[in-house]
Amino acid sequence: MAVERFHIRIADEVLDDLKRRLQHTRWPEQPVSSGWERGTDLTYLKSLVSYWRDRYDWREQEAKLNRFSQFRCSIDGRDVHFVHERGKGPHPMPLILTHGWPDSYLRYQKVIPLLTDPASYGGDPEDSFDVIVPSIPGMGFSGSPDHPGVNNAQVSEKWATLMTRELGYDKFAAAGGDLGSGITRYLAYHHPELVYGIHLTDIGILRDLLAHREPEKLSEEERRYKEKAAEWISQEGGYMSIQSTRPQSLSYGLSDSPVGLAGWLLEKFRAWSDCGGDLQRRFTEDELLTHIMIYWLTNTVGTAAHLYYENSHSLPPLGYIQVPTGLALFSADILLPPKDWAMRKFNITRWTQLPRGGHFTAMEEPELFAREVRAFYKPFRGK
């Protein structure tokens, strides 16, 4: 199908069903005083679910989401949903932003106006972008796979098609974090002629460094990374192991129980953000619940988990990234990479370490994120 306007309108019956499920939750026991150490805290989740059931207003959030210009098109037989907001400067640069998990395209909700209309926020109108924010296939409002799924490399091919064939851009900018970092890297690796450069907020878990068997050849920073990454995978990587090996088994519970879904996602927002253990320092209740709602209303938490399976079983190797690469590292993010190692894998032309913010960069620190993106792409303007 051609590019078509998309408007979110969830049926009343779906919302009524959700409320019934929230009203009839069967709660598990939690060991006394265990807090968050064994997973999402029962007391916190009961409080949030009470708000979700009695005060959260999806229709209000739906109206806010529909203020963005949203579209859908078919790429290789699969529907792709995306936001496409035009820049308000004299020569906007097209920019595709790719989200990760457990967030959604809403990761970039706060930065879209900062990037499309910098002049309204004290910036230079020459730095404006046409901003495109797609939902990864099988996540949110993009169509779910009718076969096992897609990996990061295959998604990157869809993005190349979206930006060129469907939207008509000859060349564009690309940025992402989490899964979006991997997708953006494959886009740059396979289609360097299409991108001015890429901007990343992480470069994933450096598995080749973890597999390195000659510690004497590693720098001190690389050895510290290897130790920290091994500990992080041991303590935090359970979600990744399950989704990479048995996503279907996990999907039944998360697709049937909204509270189960919330418990699965919320733990990561707390553990990976710069919130000091207090989610409300970084996110409002509405913000967290709207992310959860995107997965619940579209029933895509299962297909999102399958992306991890595909990435662990069918992802092709990735070589040196030749295009200019900007890396903005937020201080509380997961596993900050050693610089020397990163320099050997990417053509890094901008390396910035930021004093605050975690894994959900554009949600937590939208001004810092937008500033870094504008600064990185400024030298490419007019080319």
Side-chain angles (χ1 to χ4, degrees), residues 9-31:
R9 178 65 188 182
I10 302 300
D12 289 337
E13 307 89 83
V14 175
L15 301 178
D16 293 340
D17 173 72
L18 170 62
K19 189 163 188 176
R20 282 193 297 271
R21 291 171 187 260
L22 294 175
Q23 289 170 335
H24 295 92
T25 301
R26 185 168 72 167
W27 294 97
E29 294 296 322
Q30 176 172 320

mmCIF file of all heavy atoms in Angstrom, residues 9-31:
data_model
loop_
_atom_site.group_PDB
_atom_site.id
_atom_site.type_symbol
_atom_site.label_atom_id
_atom_site.label_comp_id
_atom_site.label_asym_id
_atom_site.label_seq_id
_atom_site.Cartn_x
_atom_site.Cartn_y
_atom_site.Cartn_z
ATOM 1 N N ARG A 9 -6.960 4.881 17.295
ATOM 2 C CA ARG A 9 -8.305 4.860 17.893
ATOM 3 C C ARG A 9 -8.572 3.447 18.390
ATOM 4 O O ARG A 9 -8.907 2.548 17.629
ATOM 5 C CB ARG A 9 -9.374 5.276 16.877
ATOM 6 C CG ARG A 9 -10.802 5.223 17.444
ATOM 7 C CD ARG A 9 -10.991 6.233 18.564
ATOM 8 N NE ARG A 9 -12.287 6.058 19.236
ATOM 9 C CZ ARG A 9 -12.724 6.838 20.218
ATOM 10 N NH1 ARG A 9 -11.965 7.843 20.652
ATOM 11 N NH2 ARG A 9 -13.889 6.620 20.780
ATOM 12 N N ILE A 10 -8.376 3.272 19.687
ATOM 13 C CA ILE A 10 -8.565 1.965 20.302
ATOM 14 C C ILE A 10 -10.043 1.780 20.645
ATOM 15 O O ILE A 10 -10.680 2.674 21.201
ATOM 16 C CB ILE A 10 -7.692 1.831 21.567
ATOM 17 C CG1 ILE A 10 -6.213 2.045 21.213
ATOM 18 C CG2 ILE A 10 -7.922 0.483 22.234
ATOM 19 C CD1 ILE A 10 -5.655 1.079 20.206
ATOM 20 N N ALA A 11 -10.575 0.624 20.316
ATOM 21 C CA ALA A 11 -11.994 0.350 20.554
ATOM 22 C C ALA A 11 -12.316 0.341 22.047
ATOM 23 O O ALA A 11 -11.500 -0.095 22.874
ATOM 24 C CB ALA A 11 -12.371 -0.996 19.939
ATOM 25 N N ASP A 12 -13.504 0.806 22.390
ATOM 26 C CA ASP A 12 -13.937 0.826 23.789
ATOM 27 C C ASP A 12 -13.915 -0.565 24.408
ATOM 28 O O ASP A 12 -13.588 -0.713 25.595
ATOM 29 C CB ASP A 12 -15.358 1.403 23.890
ATOM 30 C CG ASP A 12 -15.414 2.896 23.604
ATOM 31 O OD1 ASP A 12 -14.370 3.566 23.753
ATOM 32 O OD2 ASP A 12 -16.490 3.390 23.217
ATOM 33 N N GLU A 13 -14.234 -1.585 23.614
ATOM 34 C CA GLU A 13 -14.277 -2.943 24.154
ATOM 35 C C GLU A 13 -12.895 -3.386 24.634
ATOM 36 O O GLU A 13 -12.774 -4.133 25.606
ATOM 37 C CB GLU A 13 -14.778 -3.931 23.096
ATOM 38 C CG GLU A 13 -16.102 -3.561 22.443
ATOM 39 C CD GLU A 13 -15.904 -2.682 21.212
ATOM 40 O OE1 GLU A 13 -15.625 -3.229 20.118
ATOM 41 O OE2 GLU A 13 -16.041 -1.454 21.358
ATOM 42 N N VAL A 14 -11.855 -2.940 23.943
ATOM 43 C CA VAL A 14 -10.492 -3.299 24.337
ATOM 44 C C VAL A 14 -10.142 -2.658 25.687
ATOM 45 O O VAL A 14 -9.551 -3.294 26.562
ATOM 46 C CB VAL A 14 -9.486 -2.869 23.257
ATOM 47 C CG1 VAL A 14 -8.054 -3.124 23.700
ATOM 48 C CG2 VAL A 14 -9.780 -3.600 21.952
ATOM 49 N N LEU A 15 -10.533 -1.412 25.866
ATOM 50 C CA LEU A 15 -10.271 -0.711 27.125
ATOM 51 C C LEU A 15 -11.108 -1.300 28.256
ATOM 52 O O LEU A 15 -10.638 -1.402 29.400
ATOM 53 C CB LEU A 15 -10.547 0.780 26.960
ATOM 54 C CG LEU A 15 -9.716 1.501 25.885
ATOM 55 C CD1 LEU A 15 -10.125 2.963 25.795
ATOM 56 C CD2 LEU A 15 -8.220 1.371 26.167
ATOM 57 N N ASP A 16 -12.335 -1.687 27.959
ATOM 58 C CA ASP A 16 -13.188 -2.312 28.981
ATOM 59 C C ASP A 16 -12.605 -3.648 29.428
ATOM 60 O O ASP A 16 -12.614 -3.990 30.619
ATOM 61 C CB ASP A 16 -14.605 -2.524 28.437
ATOM 62 C CG ASP A 16 -15.341 -1.211 28.185
ATOM 63 O OD1 ASP A 16 -14.930 -0.188 28.756
ATOM 64 O OD2 ASP A 16 -16.332 -1.223 27.420
ATOM 65 N N ASP A 17 -12.089 -4.410 28.473
ATOM 66 C CA ASP A 17 -11.464 -5.693 28.796
ATOM 67 C C ASP A 17 -10.247 -5.489 29.685
ATOM 68 O O ASP A 17 -10.029 -6.237 30.650
ATOM 69 C CB ASP A 17 -11.067 -6.418 27.508
ATOM 70 C CG ASP A 17 -10.265 -7.674 27.775
ATOM 71 O OD1 ASP A 17 -10.852 -8.656 28.254
ATOM 72 O OD2 ASP A 17 -9.038 -7.666 27.528
ATOM 73 N N LEU A 18 -9.442 -4.471 29.380
ATOM 74 C CA LEU A 18 -8.273 -4.169 30.200
ATOM 75 C C LEU A 18 -8.690 -3.856 31.632
ATOM 76 O O LEU A 18 -8.089 -4.357 32.594
ATOM 77 C CB LEU A 18 -7.504 -2.988 29.604
ATOM 78 C CG LEU A 18 -6.394 -2.387 30.469
ATOM 79 C CD1 LEU A 18 -5.305 -3.414 30.754
ATOM 80 C CD2 LEU A 18 -5.800 -1.152 29.806
ATOM 81 N N LYS A 19 -9.717 -3.031 31.791
ATOM 82 C CA LYS A 19 -10.147 -2.665 33.140
ATOM 83 C C LYS A 19 -10.606 -3.892 33.915
ATOM 84 O O LYS A 19 -10.301 -4.038 35.112
ATOM 85 C CB LYS A 19 -11.266 -1.627 33.072
ATOM 86 C CG LYS A 19 -11.606 -1.045 34.441
ATOM 87 C CD LYS A 19 -12.398 0.241 34.323
ATOM 88 C CE LYS A 19 -12.541 0.892 35.696
ATOM 89 N NZ LYS A 19 -13.232 2.201 35.624
ATOM 90 N N ARG A 20 -11.317 -4.799 33.269
ATOM 91 C CA ARG A 20 -11.756 -6.020 33.944
ATOM 92 C C ARG A 20 -10.549 -6.841 34.412
ATOM 93 O O ARG A 20 -10.544 -7.374 35.525
ATOM 94 C CB ARG A 20 -12.624 -6.860 33.011
ATOM 95 C CG ARG A 20 -14.063 -6.363 32.866
ATOM 96 C CD ARG A 20 -14.942 -7.400 32.186
ATOM 97 N NE ARG A 20 -14.508 -7.694 30.821
ATOM 98 C CZ ARG A 20 -14.923 -7.033 29.747
ATOM 99 N NH1 ARG A 20 -15.775 -6.016 29.881
ATOM 100 N NH2 ARG A 20 -14.500 -7.365 28.542
ATOM 101 N N ARG A 21 -9.559 -6.939 33.565
ATOM 102 C CA ARG A 21 -8.368 -7.705 33.943
ATOM 103 C C ARG A 21 -7.647 -7.056 35.125
ATOM 104 O O ARG A 21 -7.164 -7.746 36.032
ATOM 105 C CB ARG A 21 -7.421 -7.825 32.750
ATOM 106 C CG ARG A 21 -7.960 -8.712 31.618
ATOM 107 C CD ARG A 21 -7.075 -8.615 30.370
ATOM 108 N NE ARG A 21 -7.637 -9.319 29.237
ATOM 109 C CZ ARG A 21 -7.274 -10.535 28.827
ATOM 110 N NH1 ARG A 21 -6.337 -11.190 29.484
ATOM 111 N NH2 ARG A 21 -7.838 -11.095 27.775
ATOM 112 N N LEU A 22 -7.548 -5.739 35.126
ATOM 113 C CA LEU A 22 -6.895 -5.043 36.237
ATOM 114 C C LEU A 22 -7.685 -5.213 37.535
ATOM 115 O O LEU A 22 -7.096 -5.293 38.623
ATOM 116 C CB LEU A 22 -6.737 -3.555 35.904
ATOM 117 C CG LEU A 22 -5.784 -3.214 34.759
ATOM 118 C CD1 LEU A 22 -5.826 -1.722 34.458
ATOM 119 C CD2 LEU A 22 -4.358 -3.652 35.064
ATOM 120 N N GLN A 23 -8.998 -5.271 37.428
ATOM 121 C CA GLN A 23 -9.833 -5.435 38.620
ATOM 122 C C GLN A 23 -9.750 -6.833 39.217
ATOM 123 O O GLN A 23 -10.065 -7.022 40.395
ATOM 124 C CB GLN A 23 -11.295 -5.113 38.276
ATOM 125 C CG GLN A 23 -11.570 -3.645 38.030
ATOM 126 C CD GLN A 23 -12.953 -3.387 37.459
ATOM 127 O OE1 GLN A 23 -13.544 -4.261 36.823
ATOM 128 N NE2 GLN A 23 -13.475 -2.175 37.685
ATOM 129 N N HIS A 24 -9.331 -7.804 38.419
ATOM 130 C CA HIS A 24 -9.314 -9.190 38.877
ATOM 131 C C HIS A 24 -7.903 -9.771 38.890
ATOM 132 O O HIS A 24 -7.699 -10.960 38.664
ATOM 133 C CB HIS A 24 -10.240 -10.042 38.002
ATOM 134 C CG HIS A 24 -11.681 -9.665 38.112
ATOM 135 N ND1 HIS A 24 -12.285 -8.752 37.262
ATOM 136 C CD2 HIS A 24 -12.637 -10.052 38.995
ATOM 137 C CE1 HIS A 24 -13.551 -8.613 37.603
ATOM 138 N NE2 HIS A 24 -13.792 -9.378 38.654
ATOM 139 N N THR A 25 -6.940 -8.925 39.186
ATOM 140 C CA THR A 25 -5.554 -9.387 39.257
ATOM 141 C C THR A 25 -5.361 -10.375 40.407
ATOM 142 O O THR A 25 -5.862 -10.160 41.512
ATOM 143 C CB THR A 25 -4.610 -8.185 39.468
ATOM 144 O OG1 THR A 25 -4.759 -7.272 38.382
ATOM 145 C CG2 THR A 25 -3.155 -8.641 39.546
ATOM 146 N N ARG A 26 -4.656 -11.446 40.143
ATOM 147 C CA ARG A 26 -4.245 -12.362 41.208
ATOM 148 C C ARG A 26 -2.779 -12.076 41.516
ATOM 149 O O ARG A 26 -1.900 -12.329 40.685
ATOM 150 C CB ARG A 26 -4.437 -13.819 40.780
ATOM 151 C CG ARG A 26 -4.129 -14.784 41.925
ATOM 152 C CD ARG A 26 -4.574 -16.194 41.618
ATOM 153 N NE ARG A 26 -3.725 -16.821 40.610
ATOM 154 C CZ ARG A 26 -3.741 -18.135 40.354
ATOM 155 N NH1 ARG A 26 -4.573 -18.914 41.013
ATOM 156 N NH2 ARG A 26 -2.955 -18.646 39.428
ATOM 157 N N TRP A 27 -2.526 -11.542 42.695
ATOM 158 C CA TRP A 27 -1.193 -11.086 43.052
ATOM 159 C C TRP A 27 -0.354 -12.218 43.637
ATOM 160 O O TRP A 27 -0.854 -13.037 44.403
ATOM 161 C CB TRP A 27 -1.280 -9.946 44.069
ATOM 162 C CG TRP A 27 -1.914 -8.705 43.521
ATOM 163 C CD1 TRP A 27 -3.209 -8.313 43.657
ATOM 164 C CD2 TRP A 27 -1.270 -7.706 42.731
ATOM 165 N NE1 TRP A 27 -3.427 -7.122 43.011
ATOM 166 C CE2 TRP A 27 -2.254 -6.720 42.431
ATOM 167 C CE3 TRP A 27 0.025 -7.532 42.243
ATOM 168 C CZ2 TRP A 27 -1.973 -5.593 41.673
ATOM 169 C CZ3 TRP A 27 0.311 -6.411 41.497
ATOM 170 C CH2 TRP A 27 -0.680 -5.456 41.213
ATOM 171 N N PRO A 28 0.943 -12.244 43.320
ATOM 172 C CA PRO A 28 1.836 -13.222 43.941
ATOM 173 C C PRO A 28 2.288 -12.746 45.324
ATOM 174 O O PRO A 28 2.072 -11.581 45.691
ATOM 175 C CB PRO A 28 3.019 -13.263 42.979
ATOM 176 C CG PRO A 28 3.089 -11.858 42.453
ATOM 177 C CD PRO A 28 1.653 -11.399 42.345
ATOM 178 N N GLU A 29 2.898 -13.629 46.075
ATOM 179 C CA GLU A 29 3.540 -13.244 47.324
ATOM 180 C C GLU A 29 4.917 -12.657 47.013
ATOM 181 O O GLU A 29 5.501 -12.907 45.961
ATOM 182 C CB GLU A 29 3.695 -14.450 48.245
ATOM 183 C CG GLU A 29 2.378 -15.036 48.737
ATOM 184 C CD GLU A 29 1.598 -14.066 49.597
ATOM 185 O OE1 GLU A 29 2.225 -13.330 50.397
ATOM 186 O OE2 GLU A 29 0.357 -14.032 49.470
ATOM 187 N N GLN A 30 5.426 -11.862 47.951
ATOM 188 C CA GLN A 30 6.795 -11.338 47.831
ATOM 189 C C GLN A 30 7.482 -11.491 49.178
ATOM 190 O O GLN A 30 6.893 -11.144 50.215
ATOM 191 C CB GLN A 30 6.792 -9.869 47.421
ATOM 192 C CG GLN A 30 8.197 -9.253 47.379
ATOM 193 C CD GLN A 30 8.216 -7.845 46.783
ATOM 194 O OE1 GLN A 30 7.524 -7.571 45.822
ATOM 195 N NE2 GLN A 30 9.006 -6.973 47.373
ATOM 196 N N PRO A 31 8.718 -12.015 49.211
ATOM 197 C CA PRO A 31 9.434 -12.137 50.486
ATOM 198 C C PRO A 31 9.526 -10.788 51.200
ATOM 199 O O PRO A 31 9.717 -9.741 50.571
ATOM 200 C CB PRO A 31 10.816 -12.636 50.065
ATOM 201 C CG PRO A 31 10.574 -13.341 48.766
ATOM 202 C CD PRO A 31 9.488 -12.568 48.094
#
